[in-house]
Amino acid sequence: MAGSGTPCASCKLLRRRCTPECVFAPYFPAEDARRFATVHRVFGASNVSRMLQEVAPAHRADAVSSLVYEASARVRDPVYGCVAAISSLQQQVSQLQMQLALAHAEILICVQQPQQHGHPPAAAALQEQQQQHVLQNAHHLQDSMWT
Amino acid sequence: MAGSGTPCASCKLLRRRCTPECVFAPYFPAEDARRFATVHRVFGASNVSRMLQEVAPAHRADAVSSLVYEASARVRDPVYGCVAAISSLQQQVSQLQMQLALAHAEILICVQQPQQHGHPPAAAALQEQQQQHVLQNAHHLQDSMWT
């Protein structure tokens, strides 16, 4: 009710009287009916009510935001929901980690190249060993993505 | 029931008869009671049943996996659920993108520096060719991951 006299979006949808103690009212105003309809469809009103009551009032707005986000993702993608976003981000992280490892290997090669002119053979061999090691690490990172 | 005669984890928890047509039975075997208890707690049995019936049978195992993942995350973190993982991965992507941009800037500086220290033009051109080759190999490696 939130002091306005009109029932909140939740009580309107559930066709019940909206009291000043309504746990939904502060987060589901009457003007935005779709937000509650989405969480109601995916989680069910009684589960949302219980979940809200189980968290401290200071965290309820965040809990509602994350529930609305999850429910919207599930409505858009009934098979994977917001887990699709997690998989996609995990792939992006792996790809970026590999690109970064390759870039670091390239920096090492680039930094060491000018020094090779006139270095004694032992120093050049050591340098080559280090470069191989960096490249191997980069390739290992790439392989481990799929295992 | 899944042909074993014992009710599935869902029917056991809901104290109902498990029929051969039970939509839960293939995905919630009797041995693993916790999986169903978790999705039941967060989404409610009737919502899970409806969501499963709304996706093609070939995608139901994936739908169950993602629902179990989401529900477990919500039980662990009642405020953010699996949205916490999304936020954390988004931050990781931003950090890696920044590190990669810095590494690329460093490569550019490194590539340009030797030419400024009195290298004859022919040697500088050869060096640039070699660096281009390394870059092409790195990009080829990256492209081949997604094809």
Side-chain angles (χ1 to χ4, degrees):
Chain A
M1 194 154 75
S4 64
T6 45
C8 72
S10 322
C11 292
K12 209 170 170 185
L13 188 87
L14 301 171
R15 295 169 191 274
R16 65 182 197 182
R17 206 166 66 85
C18 195
T19 66
E21 293 76 31
C22 174
V23 73
F24 297 126
Y27 316 107
F28 297 104
E31 310 84 70
D32 190 354
R34 212 177 59 177
R35 264 164 63 92
F36 183 76
T38 307
V39 293
H40 175 48
R41 179 176 166 77
V42 172
F43 296 101
S46 58
N47 280 337
V48 175
S49 167
R50 181 185 41 77
M51 288 193 276
L52 284 184
Q53 277 161 337
E54 281 172 3
V55 304
H59 294 128
R60 285 184 191 166
D62 282 347
V64 166
S65 293
S66 70
L67 286 168
V68 169
Y69 180 92
E70 270 190 60
S72 306
R74 180 64 57 183
V75 167
R76 273 198 313 274
D77 182 345
V79 178
Y80 297 103
C82 72
V83 177
I86 293 175
S87 301
S88 161
L89 282 162
Q90 280 173 336
Q91 278 188 359
Q92 210 183 335
V93 164
S94 299
Q95 201 190 359
L96 284 164
Q97 282 173 333
M98 196 200 68
Q99 288 175 326
L100 194 61
L102 284 171
H104 284 161
E106 211 179 315
I107 289 167
L108 194 68
I109 290 165
C110 185
V111 163
Q112 289 176 343
Q113 255 180 359
Q115 297 167 10
Q116 279 175 3
H117 302 291
H119 267 261
L126 182 66
Q127 236 172 23
E128 201 174 325
Q129 261 185 6
Q130 286 172 339
Q131 288 164 359
Q132 283 296 325
H133 182 67
V134 172
L135 275 170
Q136 272 168 8
N137 278 350
H139 291 142
H140 175 71
L141 188 66
Q142 180 201 349
D143 293 343
S144 67
M145 284 176 58
W146 311 109
T147 53
Chain B
M1 195 153 74
S4 64
T6 45
C8 72
S10 324
C11 294
K12 209 170 168 185
L13 189 87
L14 302 170
R15 294 168 192 273
R16 66 182 196 183
R17 206 166 67 87
C18 194
T19 66
E21 293 78 31
C22 174
V23 73
F24 296 127
Y27 316 107
F28 297 104
E31 309 85 69
D32 190 354
R34 210 176 63 177
R35 265 164 64 92
F36 183 75
T38 307
V39 294
H40 176 48
R41 179 177 167 78
V42 173
F43 296 100
S46 59
N47 281 337
V48 175
S49 167
R50 182 185 40 75
M51 287 194 275
L52 284 184
Q53 277 162 337
E54 280 172 3
V55 304
H59 294 128
R60 285 183 191 166
D62 281 348
V64 166
S65 293
S66 70
L67 287 167
V68 169
Y69 180 91
E70 271 190 60
S72 306
R74 179 64 57 183
V75 168
R76 271 198 313 275
D77 182 345
V79 178
Y80 297 103
C82 73
V83 177
I86 294 175
S87 301
S88 161
L89 283 162
Q90 279 172 337
Q91 277 185 1
Q92 210 183 337
V93 164
S94 298
Q95 276 175 348
L96 284 165
Q97 281 172 333
M98 200 189 62
Q99 288 175 333
L100 194 61
L102 283 172
H104 284 162
E106 210 177 319
I107 289 168
L108 196 67
I109 291 165
C110 185
V111 164
Q112 288 170 345
Q113 258 178 354
Q115 296 169 15
Q116 289 161 5
H117 296 292
H119 270 263
L126 183 65
Q127 212 173 39
E128 202 173 325
Q129 259 186 8
Q130 287 170 341
Q131 284 157 357
Q132 281 298 324
H133 184 67
V134 171
L135 267 172
Q136 273 169 7
N137 278 350
H139 291 144
H140 175 71
L141 189 65
Q142 177 200 342
D143 292 344
S144 66
M145 284 175 56
W146 309 108
T147 52

